[in-house]
Amino acid sequence: MPTNDNVVATAREGAVAVLTLQSGPVNALGSALRQGILAAVEAAEADPAVTAIVLIGGGRMFSAGADITEFGKPQTGISLPDLLNRIEASAKPVVAAIHGNALGGGLETALACHYRVAVPSAKVGLPEVKLGILPGAGGTQRLPRVVGPRKALEVIVGGSPIGAKAAAGMGLVDELAPEDSLRAHAVAFAERVVTEGRPLLKIRDRDDKIAEGRENPGLFAAFREENARKTRGFEAPEACIACIEAACRLPFDEGLAFERAEFQKLVSGTQSAAQRYVFFAERQTAKIPDVPEDTPA
């Protein structure tokens, strides 16, 4: 297992600290990577020569999300929700630079950053519902504040990823970057944030988009009715809907607590255990003995 010292590479480009996640193959947000990100962010914050931070994925993606092999095991190190709250509270702007996939906890990490840039080929999403759980690190609370509750319902309950261009169209991505120069573009974007004196945009403080859910609470009943056939018999979709509903009626921290309680109920339940078993079984059957994992298909 990688150590905290080598799962995040830190480099300086001018006054911008570039933190590269390098916990291959998918930058899963296990304990070591979470601790590495925390240490790197705090070091950048403490460095008076650093004015902004860029968080970028090494290898082929930003992050595929939480390390689901840790589910049901004792917590070690900082939790993902606490890490994301810490990133969001940074006194220096944090920019997420996204390529490949930013899924589940990966997208939740990007949502905790103050700004997001992505290459057009990137995909983002919250697919936890397919594992019988829900986004448990603030995804059900932050996403509705960016895209509105109706679109958040479609993304979270549907569970399918969306392209970066569509994400930019709904305000989830602040700027698209050229495919071959994401890092340089993200650094330049971070420099502009500083020189132009842009605010630290904390999604937790936004409430304009969730007003829709307060003013039209019937949209949740309508969504349940529209999707009743697809979600019947499954616990996770209803929990996702309830959490997005909570985002519209509760203060942010209370919404987070509600989300966490719902997540814990699902992750310890039999449905999620069965769906996670199927997930790992399907991955195992795709592996052929004696053939390297990186062999082209």
Side-chain angles (χ1 to χ4, degrees), residues 30 65 124 153-154 229 236:
V124 301
L153 286 166
E154 295 171 5
R229 179 174 294 181

Side-chain angles (χ1 to χ4, degrees), residues 83-90 111-114 142 200-205 252:
L83 172 63
L84 302 194
N85 288 339
R86 177 65 185 84
I87 291 172
E88 194 171 49
S90 170
L111 286 168
C113 297
H114 303 114
R142 289 188 176 95
L200 299 183
L201 297 178
K202 297 179 182 179
I203 289 175
R204 65 180 295 137
D205 295 335
F252 184 80

Side-chain angles (χ1 to χ4, degrees), residues 20-43:
T20 303
L21 313 185
Q22 44 186 29
S23 182
V26 297
N27 290 323
L29 291 156
S31 176
L33 184 54
R34 296 194 305 272
Q35 289 298 126
I37 295 171
L38 176 65
V41 168
E42 291 189 334

Side-chain angles (χ1 to χ4, degrees), residues 124-143:
V124 301
L126 296 169
E128 286 88 344
V129 71
K130 296 181 179 181
L131 294 176
I133 54 176
L134 54 79
T140 68
Q141 304 304 296
R142 289 188 176 95
L143 188 64

Side-chain angles (χ1 to χ4, degrees), residues 279-297:
F279 172 79
F280 282 117
E282 288 176 344
R283 288 179 64 188
Q284 198 62 38
T285 57
K287 296 179 181 179
I288 303 173
D290 302 322
V291 176
E293 291 187 14
D294 59 355
T295 301

